[in-house]
Amino acid sequence: MNKPHRRSLAAQVKEQLIQKGLEMRLKQMDAAPATRPRQEDAAVPEAFTRFDQQPGFRQVRMMQEGARRFGVENPFFHVHAGTAAAHSEIAGHPVINYGSYNYLGLSGHPRVNAAAKAAIDRYGTSVSASRIVAGERPLHRDLERSIAELYGVDDALVMVSGHGTNISLIGHLLGPKDIVLHDEYAHNSILMGIQIARAQRFSFVTTTWLTSNDCCRSTAIAPNACSLR
């Protein structure tokens, strides 16, 4: 004769909790009104339905109107001709381009252009997605191997952007026990990486050279816990 199956104490407690939860839910449903009151008379503010009434849009328009009255030209969205470099051309006028990242002048260089065209002929204009999703291509590893050889290191890792590099590396290499001292104008990607790492951070004035010990003293941190990163 089979012995009756005895439930464990944990299973019994679990069933009791479930039962109590169901009873509380039924009581809440019974106490709730059958229908919610309609709010037909409540007017929806135009700021929620019209784009030209959005607070951010109205602020931009106000700034544009103030600039127009003072004769200040909108500095944004000027069309540049040619390659993005240290010098550019806007509306036929040569200008100095302070917003270019083409520091070495390699963008637009004949050899770089030729290599890019050859890569397009072989791989197309897109690898579809990230290397994790769409897989690697030979050019990924060729580039990393070349960079590693240039700097004389074992290996290199190429990411899609400087922004992604800062967030990924800082977010993974540092942790809650680390302290980061950074320039007060550090790029947002650096700050986001520090936030992801949950590390402590302290900024110093750009124009003032401040050693790690000085910064630690000004923030009441033990000097041996600090390091400039």
Side-chain angles (χ1 to χ4, degrees):
M1 183 176 179
N2 296 332
K3 294 182 178 181
H5 176 70
R6 299 183 62 181
R7 293 176 299 167
S8 66
L9 179 61
Q12 296 179 31
V13 173
K14 183 177 180 180
E15 288 186 4
Q16 291 177 5
L17 291 174
I18 294 175
Q19 183 63 31
K20 288 184 178 180
L22 290 173
E23 292 176 357
M24 291 180 61
R25 180 59 179 162
L26 290 174
K27 289 181 180 180
Q28 292 175 355
M29 294 176 63
D30 293 338
T35 58
R36 295 184 178 181
R38 301 179 63 181
Q39 298 181 352
E40 297 177 349
D41 297 334
V44 179
E46 289 188 341
F48 293 99
T49 59
R50 291 180 51 180
F51 185 80
D52 61 345
Q53 296 299 316
Q54 291 285 326
F57 179 80
R58 297 181 66 179
Q59 183 179 6
V60 171
R61 290 299 301 268
M62 182 176 64
M63 294 173 62
Q64 290 177 336
E65 178 62 21
R68 186 189 65 80
R69 293 186 179 184
F70 285 100
V72 178
E73 184 181 359
N74 184 1
F76 303 106
F77 306 111
H78 290 289
V79 179
H80 292 245
T83 304
H87 296 84
S88 189
E89 183 178 306
I90 299 177
H93 300 287
V95 295
I96 298 176
N97 184 9
Y98 292 100
S100 170
Y101 293 162
N102 189 11
Y103 304 122
L104 302 179
L106 296 179
S107 177
H109 190 283
R111 289 183 59 186
V112 176
N113 288 352
K117 292 174 183 177
I120 290 174
D121 292 337
R122 183 175 180 182
Y123 301 106
T125 56
S126 172
V127 293
S128 296
S130 67
R131 297 157 70 175
I132 296 178
V133 176
E136 293 201 2
R137 297 292 188 272
L139 74 169
H140 286 130
R141 297 189 178 182
D142 291 343
L143 176 59
E144 291 175 341
R145 189 178 300 111
S146 298
I147 293 175
E149 292 175 356
L150 176 64
Y151 284 94
V153 295
D154 294 334
D155 206 346
L157 178 63
V158 173
M159 297 188 177
V160 296
S161 67
H163 190 281
T165 300
N166 284 338
I167 289 180
S168 301
L169 288 182
I170 297 174
H172 285 83
L173 293 181
L174 303 183
K177 294 183 179 181
D178 289 309
I179 296 174
V180 182
L181 309 182
H182 63 83
D183 186 285
E184 63 176 342
Y185 294 122
H187 195 272
N188 175 261
S189 59
I190 297 176
L191 305 183
M192 292 301 297
I194 298 172
Q195 181 177 347
I196 292 174
R198 293 186 298 166
Q200 298 184 60
R201 69 178 182 88
F202 300 94
S203 63
F204 54 84
V205 180
T206 305
T207 56
T208 303
W209 173 250
L210 195 62
T211 65
S212 59
N213 287 344
D214 291 335
C215 188
C216 290
R217 281 193 292 269
S218 65
T219 53
I221 303 174
N224 58 1
C226 286
S227 62
L228 283 173
R229 298 184 184 272

